[in-house]
Amino acid sequence: MTGPQTDFPAARASTPRLLEVDDLYVEFHTRDGIAKVINGVSYHLDPGETLAVLGESGSGKSVTAQTIMGILDIPPGKVTGGRILYQDRDLLKMSKEERRQIRGQEIAMIFQDALSALNPVFTVGNQISETLRKRKGLSKSDATRRAVELMDLVKIPGARARIKDYPHQFSGGMRQRVMIAMALALDPKVLIADEPTTALDVTVQAQIMDLLADLRRDLNMGMILITHDLGVVADVADRIAVMYAGRIVEHADVHALYKKPAHPYTEGLLDSIPRLDSKGAELATIKGLPPNLMKPPTGCAFNPRCKYAKDICVTDVPPLLQLGDGRTSACHFAKELLDGRL
Ligand SMILES: Nc1ncnc2c1ncn2[C@@H]1O[C@H](COP(=O)(O)OP(=O)(O)O)[C@@H](O)[C@H]1O
Ligand code: SF4
Ligand SMILES: [Mg+2]
């Protein structure tokens, strides 16, 4: 039992983890001071599973992903601690060239804004096949054939004809499918989707989520699904890591977390999901604002907003409590909350 604190017995294997972020620290050095934005993040991913990383804007979800991808802005960013193991090799210790090889080929990423990520002056077919020609050395005709296959895979209707279209001729949802096709071009083992549906309307969101779930199953990829919306992950994710102020404050199996949160912040997020049975009822939101990371609160970073806060919450940083079945919570009163005694 030497695995990280976030292990699940069922997921433990003798082969190396697909991806493991281990006690990562990142800060930004700006004119106004140093912002400590990632403060000891650990999470892991195995093949074929989806980890949802959830948290309000500014909690450090994207910075963690950018550090995994090797696209963090350095400076002003700086990794000050931790490891990122991809199949047991530390990405943070690799040369630029080694990381470039891994980027796209082993670990790929899709972003929220599909329109700005696509080049408006090239056809989508051109953009997909360019990657295949450059990175896989395919001939022009082979790359075009593969680009059509990839567009079929992401269920773009009439792929063969649409390959000659430009990005502006696609709807928002279809553009996101093109981005997913590009991310899949080099057969990555890990797909990081950073708020992939945030810019889309609700119906299209659901279709993209369905597609991602199908792809994960069919291709046996590990997927990190970053979102601020707990509502969209229930059907797709296996586990959830909840982030607050650059820490994972709760990590749990998705069903366990929905049934009963073990951290007051998760409880607040759950209470702010619109439910079908509460039409018209006012939605609870978490009062207050996320902390200023240049001057975070003492003790538990959530204490100014927490309705359960007590003296110890202002003086002591809560340790990561192990609650069984791989569940963890960084709250002094996690056990009481779970037992309904808080
Ligand atoms: N290039 C940057 N320079 C300075 N601060 C940054 C930069 N990128 C992100 N940050 C800060 O890091 C924190 C975490 O950001 P981010 O990971 O993007 O949040 P999330 O994705 O959870 O919304 C935020 O406070 C943000 O302002
Ligand atoms: S440690 Fe205290 S302030 Fe932080 S979440 Fe738990 S009860 Fe709230
Ligand atoms: Mg983000």
Side-chain angles (χ1 to χ4, degrees):
M1 299 271 276
T2 53
Q5 294 179 319
T6 49
D7 266 0
F8 279 110
R12 199 167 289 139
S14 54
T15 48
R17 282 248 133 87
L18 183 54
L19 183 74
E20 188 175 333
V21 178
D22 178 26
D23 207 20
L24 184 70
Y25 287 78
V26 177
E27 48 190 46
F28 283 102
H29 292 237
T30 70
R31 240 180 303 152
D32 302 325
I34 297 176
K36 299 192 171 188
V37 302
I38 306 297
N39 300 299
V41 162
S42 298
Y43 59 61
H44 71 270
L45 190 68
D46 286 316
E49 68 165 3
T50 296
L51 171 74
V53 178
L54 185 84
E56 285 167 305
S57 180
S59 55
K61 306 179 299 293
S62 294
V63 168
T64 309
Q66 288 158 8
T67 312
I68 295 171
M69 281 297 284
I71 55 170
L72 182 72
D73 277 335
I74 301 176
K78 188 176 178 191
V79 178
T80 55
R83 304 182 302 167
I84 299 176
L85 302 177
Y86 174 70
Q87 293 180 334
D88 252 3
R89 293 188 297 150
D90 191 348
L91 297 176
L92 298 176
K93 293 215 171 99
M94 285 183 187
S95 67
K96 277 206 172 108
E97 178 53 28
E98 283 175 300
R99 291 208 84 175
R100 206 184 63 79
Q101 288 295 331
I102 286 190
R103 191 156 51 239
Q105 203 134 298
E106 307 287 331
I107 307 176
M109 188 160 168
I110 51 173
F111 303 90
Q112 175 179 334
D113 191 354
L115 185 57
S116 67
L118 288 165
N119 190 329
V121 303
F122 291 110
T123 64
V124 299
N126 208 313
Q127 295 184 57
I128 302 173
S129 52
E130 191 193 48
T131 309
L132 292 161
R133 293 172 67 187
K134 269 197 186 150
R135 300 279 303 265
K136 281 204 156 170
L138 295 192
S139 69
K140 196 169 177 200
S141 58
D142 284 347
T144 304
R145 198 172 314 124
R146 180 70 185 136
V148 174
E149 280 172 17
L150 285 162
M151 285 171 69
D152 273 333
L153 182 70
V154 298
K155 304 187 176 83
I156 294 176
R160 191 170 297 278
R162 298 222 65 183
I163 201 157
K164 295 199 179 71
D165 286 350
Y166 289 86
H168 74 268
Q169 293 169 285
F170 285 74
S171 67
M174 285 298 154
R175 279 198 291 263
Q176 191 56 285
R177 286 175 196 262
V178 172
M179 289 309 299
I180 297 170
M182 286 171 74
L184 297 178
L186 303 176
D187 306 310
K189 296 190 178 68
V190 175
L191 180 67
I192 304 176
D194 191 353
E195 312 251 9
T197 63
T198 303
L200 306 172
D201 71 47
V202 175
T203 322
V204 182
Q205 270 186 12
Q207 291 162 357
I208 297 286
M209 282 297 166
D210 283 349
L211 172 67
L212 289 173
D214 288 350
L215 291 171
R216 182 227 7 184
R217 195 191 51 232
D218 296 346
L219 306 177
N220 200 34
M221 287 182 303
M223 195 160 83
I224 297 176
L225 178 62
I226 297 172
T227 177
H228 64 274
D229 185 354
L230 190 44
V232 304
V233 298
D235 300 328
V236 193
D238 301 295
R239 293 180 287 114
I240 298 193
V242 181
M243 276 190 88
Y244 191 79
R247 263 192 111 184
I248 304 290
V249 293
E250 178 166 2
H251 170 265
D253 169 86
V254 66
H255 302 293
L257 183 134
Y258 272 88
K259 201 166 163 208
K260 188 84 184 115
H263 193 284
Y265 179 61
T266 316
E267 186 180 64
L269 290 176
L270 277 172
D271 286 345
S272 44
I273 304 178
R275 285 172 203 275
L276 289 176
D277 56 5
S278 65
K279 247 192 189 149
E282 204 171 313
L283 214 61
T285 50
I286 304 173
K287 287 201 184 72
L289 292 172
N292 173 357
L293 295 173
M294 298 210 185
K295 211 173 169 298
T298 57
C300 171
F302 189 55
N303 82 61
R305 303 172 73 185
C306 182
K307 63 181 176 189
Y308 306 114
K310 303 192 186 0
D311 289 349
I312 188 177
C313 304
V314 183
T315 52
D316 294 17
V317 176
L320 205 60
L321 295 180
Q322 306 289 324
L323 303 167
D325 288 338
R327 188 165 204 185
T328 58
S329 167
C331 170
H332 290 297
F333 302 102
K335 289 186 178 126
E336 289 81 352
L337 185 65
L338 264 186
D339 297 347
R341 285 184 282 131
L342 201 60

